[in-house]
Structures are given as structure tokens and as C-alpha cells.
PDB file of all heavy atoms in Angstrom:
ATOM      1  N   THR F   1       0.831  -1.194  -0.043  1.00 95.00           N
ATOM      2  CA  THR F   1      -0.016   0.016   0.010  1.00 95.00           C
ATOM      3  C   THR F   1       0.825   1.276  -0.035  1.00 95.00           C
ATOM      4  O   THR F   1       1.890   1.363   0.716  1.00 95.00           O
ATOM      5  CB  THR F   1      -0.923   0.039   1.164  1.00 95.00           C
ATOM      6  OG1 THR F   1      -1.812  -1.137   1.141  1.00 95.00           O
ATOM      7  CG2 THR F   1      -1.824   1.244   1.248  1.00 95.00           C
ATOM      8  N   VAL F   2       0.429   2.216  -0.755  1.00 96.00           N
ATOM      9  CA  VAL F   2       1.048   3.558  -0.770  1.00 96.00           C
ATOM     10  C   VAL F   2      -0.046   4.513  -0.285  1.00 96.00           C
ATOM     11  O   VAL F   2      -1.199   4.422  -0.584  1.00 96.00           O
ATOM     12  CB  VAL F   2       1.626   3.877  -2.151  1.00 96.00           C
ATOM     13  CG1 VAL F   2       0.548   3.940  -3.228  1.00 96.00           C
ATOM     14  CG2 VAL F   2       2.405   5.192  -2.115  1.00 96.00           C
ATOM     15  N   TYR F   3       0.484   5.555   0.395  1.00 98.00           N
ATOM     16  CA  TYR F   3      -0.408   6.543   1.050  1.00 98.00           C
ATOM     17  C   TYR F   3      -0.158   7.955   0.514  1.00 98.00           C
ATOM     18  O   TYR F   3       0.981   8.252   0.092  1.00 98.00           O
ATOM     19  CB  TYR F   3      -0.295   6.534   2.533  1.00 98.00           C
ATOM     20  CG  TYR F   3      -0.568   5.197   3.180  1.00 98.00           C
ATOM     21  CD1 TYR F   3       0.520   4.344   3.508  1.00 98.00           C
ATOM     22  CD2 TYR F   3      -1.846   4.711   3.477  1.00 98.00           C
ATOM     23  CE1 TYR F   3       0.282   3.108   4.083  1.00 98.00           C
ATOM     24  CE2 TYR F   3      -2.102   3.509   4.030  1.00 98.00           C
ATOM     25  CZ  TYR F   3      -1.018   2.692   4.316  1.00 98.00           C
ATOM     26  OH  TYR F   3      -1.254   1.427   4.884  1.00 98.00           O
ATOM     27  N   LEU F   4      -1.191   8.845   0.613  1.00 98.00           N
ATOM     28  CA  LEU F   4      -0.945  10.202   0.345  1.00 98.00           C
ATOM     29  C   LEU F   4      -1.690  11.025   1.405  1.00 98.00           C
ATOM     30  O   LEU F   4      -2.852  11.089   1.465  1.00 98.00           O
ATOM     31  CB  LEU F   4      -1.397  10.663  -1.024  1.00 98.00           C
ATOM     32  CG  LEU F   4      -1.062  12.035  -1.443  1.00 98.00           C
ATOM     33  CD1 LEU F   4       0.441  12.180  -1.707  1.00 98.00           C
ATOM     34  CD2 LEU F   4      -1.831  12.527  -2.681  1.00 98.00           C
ATOM     35  N   GLN F   5      -0.851  11.550   2.317  1.00 98.00           N
ATOM     36  CA  GLN F   5      -1.453  12.492   3.403  1.00 98.00           C
ATOM     37  C   GLN F   5      -1.469  13.872   2.813  1.00 98.00           C
ATOM     38  O   GLN F   5      -0.455  14.415   2.410  1.00 98.00           O
ATOM     39  CB  GLN F   5      -0.597  12.408   4.664  1.00 98.00           C
ATOM     40  CG  GLN F   5      -1.048  13.328   5.733  1.00 98.00           C
ATOM     41  CD  GLN F   5      -2.320  12.984   6.345  1.00 98.00           C
ATOM     42  OE1 GLN F   5      -2.574  11.790   6.648  1.00 98.00           O
ATOM     43  NE2 GLN F   5      -3.228  13.885   6.569  1.00 98.00           N
ATOM     44  N   MET F   6      -2.737  14.432   2.773  1.00 98.00           N
ATOM     45  CA  MET F   6      -2.891  15.744   2.220  1.00 98.00           C
ATOM     46  C   MET F   6      -3.386  16.655   3.302  1.00 98.00           C
ATOM     47  O   MET F   6      -4.385  16.396   3.960  1.00 98.00           O
ATOM     48  CB  MET F   6      -3.866  15.724   1.068  1.00 98.00           C
ATOM     49  CG  MET F   6      -3.479  14.722  -0.034  1.00 98.00           C
ATOM     50  SD  MET F   6      -4.467  14.935  -1.491  1.00 98.00           S
ATOM     51  CE  MET F   6      -6.050  14.469  -0.931  1.00 98.00           C
ATOM     52  N   ASN F   7      -2.707  17.739   3.499  1.00 97.00           N
ATOM     53  CA  ASN F   7      -3.077  18.786   4.484  1.00 97.00           C
ATOM     54  C   ASN F   7      -3.309  20.112   3.791  1.00 97.00           C
ATOM     55  O   ASN F   7      -2.970  20.329   2.669  1.00 97.00           O
ATOM     56  CB  ASN F   7      -2.025  18.901   5.561  1.00 97.00           C
ATOM     57  CG  ASN F   7      -1.661  17.609   6.198  1.00 97.00           C
ATOM     58  OD1 ASN F   7      -2.612  16.824   6.581  1.00 97.00           O
ATOM     59  ND2 ASN F   7      -0.450  17.286   6.462  1.00 97.00           N
ATOM     60  N   SER F   8      -3.911  21.024   4.567  1.00 97.00           N
ATOM     61  CA  SER F   8      -4.205  22.384   4.057  1.00 97.00           C
ATOM     62  C   SER F   8      -4.802  22.383   2.637  1.00 97.00           C
ATOM     63  O   SER F   8      -4.316  23.074   1.767  1.00 97.00           O
ATOM     64  CB  SER F   8      -2.874  23.206   4.048  1.00 97.00           C
ATOM     65  OG  SER F   8      -2.287  23.237   5.389  1.00 97.00           O
ATOM     66  N   LEU F   9      -5.755  21.553   2.469  1.00 97.00           N
ATOM     67  CA  LEU F   9      -6.403  21.356   1.183  1.00 97.00           C
ATOM     68  C   LEU F   9      -7.005  22.673   0.665  1.00 97.00           C
ATOM     69  O   LEU F   9      -7.583  23.454   1.373  1.00 97.00           O
ATOM     70  CB  LEU F   9      -7.413  20.237   1.197  1.00 97.00           C
ATOM     71  CG  LEU F   9      -6.768  18.807   1.229  1.00 97.00           C
ATOM     72  CD1 LEU F   9      -7.764  17.817   1.680  1.00 97.00           C
ATOM     73  CD2 LEU F   9      -6.161  18.546  -0.158  1.00 97.00           C
ATOM     74  N   LYS F  10      -6.930  22.833  -0.690  1.00 96.00           N
ATOM     75  CA  LYS F  10      -7.436  24.061  -1.321  1.00 96.00           C
ATOM     76  C   LYS F  10      -8.542  23.657  -2.257  1.00 96.00           C
ATOM     77  O   LYS F  10      -8.611  22.473  -2.691  1.00 96.00           O
ATOM     78  CB  LYS F  10      -6.294  24.728  -2.094  1.00 96.00           C
ATOM     79  CG  LYS F  10      -5.177  25.126  -1.249  1.00 96.00           C
ATOM     80  CD  LYS F  10      -4.071  25.721  -2.112  1.00 96.00           C
ATOM     81  CE  LYS F  10      -2.838  26.139  -1.321  1.00 96.00           C
ATOM     82  NZ  LYS F  10      -1.742  26.740  -2.135  1.00 96.00           N
ATOM     83  N   LEU F  11      -9.333  24.584  -2.639  1.00 96.00           N
ATOM     84  CA  LEU F  11     -10.399  24.320  -3.680  1.00 96.00           C
ATOM     85  C   LEU F  11      -9.876  23.682  -4.926  1.00 96.00           C
ATOM     86  O   LEU F  11     -10.427  22.736  -5.500  1.00 96.00           O
ATOM     87  CB  LEU F  11     -11.162  25.627  -4.004  1.00 96.00           C
ATOM     88  CG  LEU F  11     -11.873  26.320  -2.864  1.00 96.00           C
ATOM     89  CD1 LEU F  11     -12.462  27.627  -3.373  1.00 96.00           C
ATOM     90  CD2 LEU F  11     -12.914  25.410  -2.320  1.00 96.00           C
ATOM     91  N   GLU F  12      -8.697  24.151  -5.384  1.00 95.00           N
ATOM     92  CA  GLU F  12      -8.152  23.620  -6.554  1.00 95.00           C
ATOM     93  C   GLU F  12      -7.474  22.196  -6.463  1.00 95.00           C
ATOM     94  O   GLU F  12      -6.970  21.697  -7.471  1.00 95.00           O
ATOM     95  CB  GLU F  12      -7.014  24.602  -7.122  1.00 95.00           C
ATOM     96  CG  GLU F  12      -5.957  24.916  -6.163  1.00 95.00           C
ATOM     97  CD  GLU F  12      -6.230  26.265  -5.331  1.00 95.00           C
ATOM     98  OE1 GLU F  12      -7.412  26.495  -5.018  1.00 95.00           O
ATOM     99  OE2 GLU F  12      -5.305  26.984  -5.155  1.00 95.00           O
ATOM    100  N   ASP F  13      -7.581  21.686  -5.284  1.00 96.00           N
ATOM    101  CA  ASP F  13      -7.088  20.253  -5.080  1.00 96.00           C
ATOM    102  C   ASP F  13      -8.198  19.278  -5.478  1.00 96.00           C
ATOM    103  O   ASP F  13      -7.996  18.080  -5.464  1.00 96.00           O
ATOM    104  CB  ASP F  13      -6.599  20.058  -3.668  1.00 96.00           C
ATOM    105  CG  ASP F  13      -5.363  20.812  -3.361  1.00 96.00           C
ATOM    106  OD1 ASP F  13      -4.485  20.943  -4.199  1.00 96.00           O
ATOM    107  OD2 ASP F  13      -5.303  21.263  -2.204  1.00 96.00           O
ATOM    108  N   THR F  14      -9.393  19.790  -5.693  1.00 97.00           N
ATOM    109  CA  THR F  14     -10.479  18.965  -6.083  1.00 97.00           C
ATOM    110  C   THR F  14     -10.090  18.126  -7.370  1.00 97.00           C
ATOM    111  O   THR F  14      -9.808  18.784  -8.397  1.00 97.00           O
ATOM    112  CB  THR F  14     -11.769  19.787  -6.313  1.00 97.00           C
ATOM    113  OG1 THR F  14     -12.194  20.279  -5.002  1.00 97.00           O
ATOM    114  CG2 THR F  14     -12.956  18.843  -6.842  1.00 97.00           C
ATOM    115  N   ALA F  15     -10.206  16.894  -7.349  1.00 98.00           N
ATOM    116  CA  ALA F  15      -9.800  16.021  -8.438  1.00 98.00           C
ATOM    117  C   ALA F  15     -10.054  14.570  -8.101  1.00 98.00           C
ATOM    118  O   ALA F  15     -10.338  14.265  -6.956  1.00 98.00           O
ATOM    119  CB  ALA F  15      -8.325  16.255  -8.807  1.00 98.00           C
ATOM    120  N   VAL F  16      -9.894  13.725  -9.094  1.00 98.00           N
ATOM    121  CA  VAL F  16      -9.795  12.279  -8.781  1.00 98.00           C
ATOM    122  C   VAL F  16      -8.368  11.940  -8.735  1.00 98.00           C
ATOM    123  O   VAL F  16      -7.546  12.261  -9.573  1.00 98.00           O
ATOM    124  CB  VAL F  16     -10.561  11.524  -9.916  1.00 98.00           C
ATOM    125  CG1 VAL F  16     -10.366   9.989  -9.655  1.00 98.00           C
ATOM    126  CG2 VAL F  16     -12.019  11.863 -10.078  1.00 98.00           C
ATOM    127  N   TYR F  17      -8.048  11.234  -7.708  1.00 98.00           N
ATOM    128  CA  TYR F  17      -6.656  10.858  -7.314  1.00 98.00           C
ATOM    129  C   TYR F  17      -6.407   9.360  -7.659  1.00 98.00           C
ATOM    130  O   TYR F  17      -7.266   8.567  -7.277  1.00 98.00           O
ATOM    131  CB  TYR F  17      -6.311  11.192  -5.915  1.00 98.00           C
ATOM    132  CG  TYR F  17      -6.182  12.678  -5.661  1.00 98.00           C
ATOM    133  CD1 TYR F  17      -7.239  13.458  -5.696  1.00 98.00           C
ATOM    134  CD2 TYR F  17      -4.896  13.156  -5.431  1.00 98.00           C
ATOM    135  CE1 TYR F  17      -7.174  14.859  -5.395  1.00 98.00           C
ATOM    136  CE2 TYR F  17      -4.752  14.540  -5.203  1.00 98.00           C
ATOM    137  CZ  TYR F  17      -5.824  15.411  -5.283  1.00 98.00           C
ATOM    138  OH  TYR F  17      -5.730  16.774  -5.062  1.00 98.00           O
ATOM    139  N   TYR F  18      -5.315   9.057  -8.299  1.00 98.00           N
ATOM    140  CA  TYR F  18      -4.973   7.737  -8.765  1.00 98.00           C
ATOM    141  C   TYR F  18      -3.560   7.430  -8.339  1.00 98.00           C
ATOM    142  O   TYR F  18      -2.736   8.301  -8.147  1.00 98.00           O
ATOM    143  CB  TYR F  18      -5.045   7.609 -10.309  1.00 98.00           C
ATOM    144  CG  TYR F  18      -6.252   8.005 -10.978  1.00 98.00           C
ATOM    145  CD1 TYR F  18      -6.563   9.328 -11.298  1.00 98.00           C
ATOM    146  CD2 TYR F  18      -7.202   6.973 -11.310  1.00 98.00           C
ATOM    147  CE1 TYR F  18      -7.798   9.621 -11.911  1.00 98.00           C
ATOM    148  CE2 TYR F  18      -8.353   7.223 -11.869  1.00 98.00           C
ATOM    149  CZ  TYR F  18      -8.687   8.596 -12.227  1.00 98.00           C
ATOM    150  OH  TYR F  18      -9.811   8.933 -12.891  1.00 98.00           O
ATOM    151  N   CYS F  19      -3.256   6.167  -8.270  1.00 97.00           N
ATOM    152  CA  CYS F  19      -1.837   5.762  -8.100  1.00 97.00           C
ATOM    153  C   CYS F  19      -1.396   4.855  -9.219  1.00 97.00           C
ATOM    154  O   CYS F  19      -2.288   4.254  -9.975  1.00 97.00           O
ATOM    155  CB  CYS F  19      -1.638   5.008  -6.767  1.00 97.00           C
ATOM    156  SG  CYS F  19      -2.543   3.354  -6.683  1.00 97.00           S
ATOM    157  N   ASN F  20      -0.166   4.822  -9.468  1.00 96.00           N
ATOM    158  CA  ASN F  20       0.431   4.002 -10.558  1.00 96.00           C
ATOM    159  C   ASN F  20       1.932   4.117 -10.443  1.00 96.00           C
ATOM    160  O   ASN F  20       2.492   4.806  -9.498  1.00 96.00           O
ATOM    161  CB  ASN F  20       0.009   4.486 -11.949  1.00 96.00           C
ATOM    162  CG  ASN F  20      -0.109   3.364 -13.017  1.00 96.00           C
ATOM    163  OD1 ASN F  20       0.865   2.531 -13.079  1.00 96.00           O
ATOM    164  ND2 ASN F  20      -1.121   3.344 -13.703  1.00 96.00           N
ATOM    165  N   THR F  21       2.669   3.533 -11.276  1.00 94.00           N
ATOM    166  CA  THR F  21       4.153   3.775 -11.373  1.00 94.00           C
ATOM    167  C   THR F  21       4.380   5.173 -12.019  1.00 94.00           C
ATOM    168  O   THR F  21       3.460   5.628 -12.740  1.00 94.00           O
ATOM    169  CB  THR F  21       4.857   2.662 -12.144  1.00 94.00           C
ATOM    170  OG1 THR F  21       4.460   2.685 -13.457  1.00 94.00           O
ATOM    171  CG2 THR F  21       4.571   1.365 -11.481  1.00 94.00           C
ATOM    172  N   PRO F  22       5.500   5.727 -11.909  1.00 93.00           N
ATOM    173  CA  PRO F  22       5.766   7.008 -12.545  1.00 93.00           C
ATOM    174  C   PRO F  22       5.678   6.995 -14.062  1.00 93.00           C
ATOM    175  O   PRO F  22       5.361   7.982 -14.705  1.00 93.00           O
ATOM    176  CB  PRO F  22       7.182   7.386 -12.088  1.00 93.00           C
ATOM    177  CG  PRO F  22       7.350   6.748 -10.795  1.00 93.00           C
ATOM    178  CD  PRO F  22       6.617   5.420 -10.906  1.00 93.00           C
ATOM    179  N   SER F  23       5.814   5.794 -14.645  1.00 90.00           N
ATOM    180  CA  SER F  23       5.713   5.673 -16.098  1.00 90.00           C
ATOM    181  C   SER F  23       4.281   5.212 -16.486  1.00 90.00           C
ATOM    182  O   SER F  23       3.994   4.977 -17.636  1.00 90.00           O
ATOM    183  CB  SER F  23       6.698   4.656 -16.603  1.00 90.00           C
ATOM    184  OG  SER F  23       6.452   3.370 -15.975  1.00 90.00           O
ATOM    185  N   ALA F  24       3.403   5.197 -15.472  1.00 88.00           N
ATOM    186  CA  ALA F  24       2.005   4.712 -15.741  1.00 88.00           C
ATOM    187  C   ALA F  24       2.017   3.399 -16.468  1.00 88.00           C
ATOM    188  O   ALA F  24       1.342   3.221 -17.454  1.00 88.00           O
ATOM    189  CB  ALA F  24       1.207   5.743 -16.458  1.00 88.00           C
ATOM    190  N   ARG F  25       2.804   2.472 -15.854  1.00 88.00           N
ATOM    191  CA  ARG F  25       3.028   1.246 -16.545  1.00 88.00           C
ATOM    192  C   ARG F  25       1.762   0.311 -16.597  1.00 88.00           C
ATOM    193  O   ARG F  25       1.683  -0.512 -17.479  1.00 88.00           O
ATOM    194  CB  ARG F  25       4.208   0.517 -15.780  1.00 88.00           C
ATOM    195  CG  ARG F  25       4.612  -0.863 -16.361  1.00 88.00           C
ATOM    196  CD  ARG F  25       5.748  -1.436 -15.573  1.00 88.00           C
ATOM    197  NE  ARG F  25       6.098  -2.757 -16.022  1.00 88.00           N
ATOM    198  CZ  ARG F  25       7.081  -3.456 -15.485  1.00 88.00           C
ATOM    199  NH1 ARG F  25       7.787  -2.976 -14.432  1.00 88.00           N
ATOM    200  NH2 ARG F  25       7.392  -4.653 -15.889  1.00 88.00           N
TER     201      ARG F  25
END
């Protein structure tokens, strides 16, 4: 498992969040 802790969120952070390798393999 990989995690993403997000703090001080802004309106512009609204999105769908995905994980993958950096090359989107």
C-alpha cells in the first residue's frame, strides 16, 4: 500500500486521485 497524506487542502485540489508507477506502466 502507498499513502498520500494531504493537508491544508485548497479548492483547486479537487480532483480524482490515482496511483500507478511514474511511467504509468
Side-chain angles (χ1 to χ4, degrees):
T1 299
V2 61
Y3 303 98
L4 187 70
Q5 176 67 45
M6 304 191 296
N7 302 319
S8 302
L9 284 163
K10 303 177 181 180
L11 297 175
E12 54 263 39
D13 294 323
T14 295
V16 180
Y17 286 72
Y18 302 87
C19 66
N20 209 316
T21 64
S23 61
R25 179 178 179 181

